[in-house]
Amino acid sequence: MLRTEALHRLPVRAALPELTDALDRRGVAVLHAPPGTGKTTLVPLALAGLLDDGRPPARVLVAEPRRLAARSAAARMAWLLGERTGGSVGLTVRGERRVGAATRVEVVTTGVLLQRLQRDQELAGVDVVLVDECHERHLDADTALAFLVDVRAALRPELRLVAASATADTESWARLLTGLDEDGTPAPVVHGRGESHPVAVRHVPPPSAVRPAHGTRVDPALLRHVAATVRRAALGDEGPGGADGGDVLCFLPGAGEISRVAGMLDDLAAAGWEVLQLHGRAPAAVQDAVLAGGAARRVVLATSVAESSLTVPGVRTVVDSGLARVPRVDHARGLGSLATVRVSHAAATQRAGRAGREAPGVALRCWDQAEESRLPRFPAPEIAVADLTAFALQAACWGDPDASSLALPDPPPAGAMAAARETLRAVGAVGSDGRVTARGRALAGLGVHPRLARALLDGAEAVGGRLAAEVVALLSEEPPRAWGGDVPQVLRAARRAGRDDPYAARWRREVRRLTSALEAADRAGAAGQ
């Protein structure tokens, strides 16, 4: 049963006629709508013909940059329809698939979308693809959009494509889709208006100097200052305060910093505040609790996922650490890694805006106002700074080894691409001409970095698929430091860990996925012989 009242409260509803008209006329559109307006939840339901408004049925694929965002979007859409995920609205993320015969909207991560495009370039049975949060400039999203441009141009001109962004830098996306039109005019840009309240921005720098972040290390003095600022905001010395002062949303770079700051806020928990941790590794029950809201006053400690991908209800105060964690190249390991950087102006604005979704709010920035001029305007696109080995393999499998003909917002740096192709040649994924090999296609289908994928295949032959999957799963995500740094020691700790250990639970799921992927690769190899 449709939750009509909730649907009518979503501001993007007013933009639906313009969006559907643009898609009917041109087949492509750029949708700009601020966070919380319903672009992720209402628009796919409308395009799928699930709102009882006379629009014909269609199959819609929604691509989200993160598993957490994909789960949240699917659950919210199902709730709006009065259903559970797996009915009219389905979900597919790594290690989880809930899709049925009646599914008309399927929410996937951009990584899953890339795998699907490599298997079926035509996306048979899909009528509309919405690539969400394009402004975040994740490499998977940029790549998926470029592949979809190719699909429309060469295979399925009737496939409709929406690039959705929460920020107003839409011109580049409109130009990117220009090549799809015979007359060369930019793709239509549809603006959805948001309902926001004023947010007072205050700077609350640390009382003494803090060391700049290095790698994934953050000065404990900054974390203590962030915790103290959250405490003052919760108790009313900063922020709206009072019984109706709302919840506090605090942005931190990663799960480790979130855990440490949470440990400094035991006094708030003792005073009746609920302290919740929101990040991609958080258990599903915690994620659901954050997004559902509650009667108790809450402090939500979150990563950048809460900037635009998710809307946390009840927030009146934002505390911003000023840091974000982004992909970089780890030259020592030959793999991608994460680094802590200063937040951009655009991201800081997005974060502050979360305080004004439901009422006037306050944003507390944990840095001096004089530092504002030194912040970058926008986050660096991932393609400019990240390890490109997996991207180069995707491009080679697509048939464009140097990615020269892909409709990318920014071209890949020549040096990074050369290094990536050299790595692919070393692991046997591409030949001397840069074309993908049979081994390369097998590596691409395993869903891990090509180096780890080669280790998985070789390890399976040497020690068996189960053990190889266990070790590669450990190398895919950094284990708890308390487990040590020796692989056999960490492996024993992972095996001994109980079911309630979050890392061990994720590790076991990844082991099962990799084992299944190995079995699928073996079947494909046997069929090809």
Side-chain angles (χ1 to χ4, degrees):
M1 180 176 177
L2 280 175
R3 300 183 189 270
T4 306
E5 184 179 349
L7 287 164
H8 281 287
R9 286 200 303 266
L10 295 173
V12 79
R13 189 178 187 88
L16 286 177
E18 184 180 355
L19 177 63
T20 55
D21 178 67
L23 290 176
D24 290 343
R25 288 185 297 106
R26 304 279 295 277
V28 292
V30 178
L31 174 62
H32 162 239
T37 55
K39 73 178 186 304
T40 302
T41 51
L42 178 61
V43 170
L45 297 179
L47 297 179
L50 288 167
L51 298 185
D52 294 336
D53 56 2
R55 189 165 182 85
R59 177 111 190 278
V60 179
L61 204 60
V62 181
E64 294 290 336
R66 304 175 179 90
R67 279 176 285 181
L68 175 54
R71 287 187 68 254
S72 169
R76 176 66 175 173
M77 280 189 273
W79 180 85
L80 288 169
L81 295 177
E83 301 179 4
R84 293 189 176 184
T85 305
S88 299
V89 179
L91 169 71
T92 303
V93 299
R94 193 165 74 175
E96 181 181 5
R97 180 170 172 80
R98 284 186 277 167
V99 175
T103 298
R104 298 247 292 275
V105 175
E106 184 182 358
V107 187
V108 301
T109 57
T110 47
V112 167
L113 175 57
L114 283 175
Q115 292 285 340
R116 193 167 296 181
L117 281 164
Q118 294 286 11
R119 293 194 305 270
D120 174 18
Q121 292 187 354
E122 294 189 15
L123 288 181
V126 175
D127 301 297
V128 187
V129 180
L130 187 151
V131 181
D132 201 13
E133 312 297 359
C134 289
H135 64 278
E136 294 189 5
R137 299 303 314 279
H138 290 288
L139 183 52
D140 278 355
D142 283 3
T143 308
L145 198 58
F147 286 178
L148 289 165
V149 168
D150 271 3
V151 169
R152 267 189 50 92
L155 299 173
R156 287 195 60 200
E158 77 281 5
L159 180 67
R160 300 183 177 192
L161 178 59
V162 180
S165 172
T167 59
D169 55 335
T170 54
E171 290 186 7
S172 60
W173 302 112
R175 290 195 300 270
L176 186 71
L177 303 181
T178 297
L180 306 177
D181 297 292
E182 293 181 1
D183 59 4
T185 57
V189 177
V190 178
H191 295 278
R193 306 301 173 189
E195 295 178 359
S196 60
H197 299 270
V199 175
V201 176
R202 302 175 190 164
H203 290 83
V204 285
S208 58
V210 299
R211 293 187 296 274
H214 177 71
T216 57
R217 176 175 170 76
V218 177
D219 192 336
L222 176 61
L223 298 183
R224 290 193 294 270
H225 173 65
V226 170
T229 304
V230 169
R231 186 177 296 107
R232 291 197 303 270
L235 298 178
D237 296 331
E238 303 273 10
D244 62 346
D247 297 339
V248 179
L249 173 61
C250 174
F251 285 98
L252 289 156
E257 292 76 22
I258 286 175
S259 178
R260 289 195 285 277
V261 170
M264 301 176 194
L265 298 175
D266 289 341
D267 54 333
L268 287 183
W273 282 76
E274 190 175 13
V275 179
L276 297 169
Q277 304 181 39
L278 180 64
H279 51 79
R281 302 178 188 175
V286 174
Q287 298 174 9
D288 294 341
V290 170
L291 301 175
R297 296 283 294 277
R298 307 183 306 164
V299 169
V300 179
L301 308 175
T303 60
S304 297
V305 69
E307 280 178 18
S308 58
S309 295
L310 302 173
T311 296
V312 180
V315 173
R316 294 278 300 282
T317 304
V318 164
V319 177
D320 190 351
S321 69
L323 298 176
R325 196 146 284 153
V326 297
R328 290 290 189 269
V329 183
D330 185 342
H331 295 286
R333 295 193 307 151
L335 299 172
S337 65
L338 294 173
T340 308
V341 300
R342 293 301 306 273
V343 73
S344 68
H345 269 293
T349 300
Q350 288 279 93
R351 293 178 175 188
R354 308 313 264 166
R357 282 283 298 114
E358 299 174 0
V362 175
L364 305 174
R365 293 178 171 172
C366 295
W367 63 87
D368 193 280
Q369 187 171 4
E371 297 179 38
E372 295 274 330
S373 62
R374 295 195 289 272
L375 298 180
R377 286 189 61 202
F378 297 102
E382 194 173 321
I383 198 170
V385 294
D387 172 37
L388 298 186
T389 308
F391 165 78
L393 181 54
Q394 290 280 358
C397 290
W398 195 253
D400 188 1
D402 58 2
S404 59
S405 64
L406 292 179
L408 295 163
D410 295 281
M417 278 296 285
R421 287 195 294 268
E422 182 58 36
T423 298
L424 293 180
R425 282 192 288 269
V427 300
V430 300
S432 57
D433 59 355
R435 298 291 175 181
V436 67
T437 62
R439 179 184 288 273
R441 291 198 179 276
L443 297 179
L446 295 175
V448 292
H449 189 282
R451 283 186 184 273
L452 294 179
R454 174 64 187 266
L456 180 64
L457 291 181
D458 291 354
E461 293 180 2
V463 300
R466 174 72 185 190
L467 179 56
E470 287 181 331
V471 174
V472 168
L474 283 180
L475 298 175
S476 298
E477 178 186 335
E478 184 179 355
R481 294 181 182 178
W483 289 6
D486 180 67
V487 171
Q489 177 185 354
V490 173
L491 180 58
R492 288 191 295 270
R495 288 170 170 172
R496 289 195 304 265
R499 293 183 179 275
D500 57 344
D501 184 284
Y503 176 88
R506 292 193 303 274
W507 173 75
R508 292 187 181 103
R509 285 196 299 270
E510 182 66 357
V511 171
R512 289 193 296 269
R513 189 192 70 81
L514 291 173
T515 303
S516 297
L518 272 174
E519 293 171 353
D522 288 341
R523 289 193 299 269
Q529 291 177 352

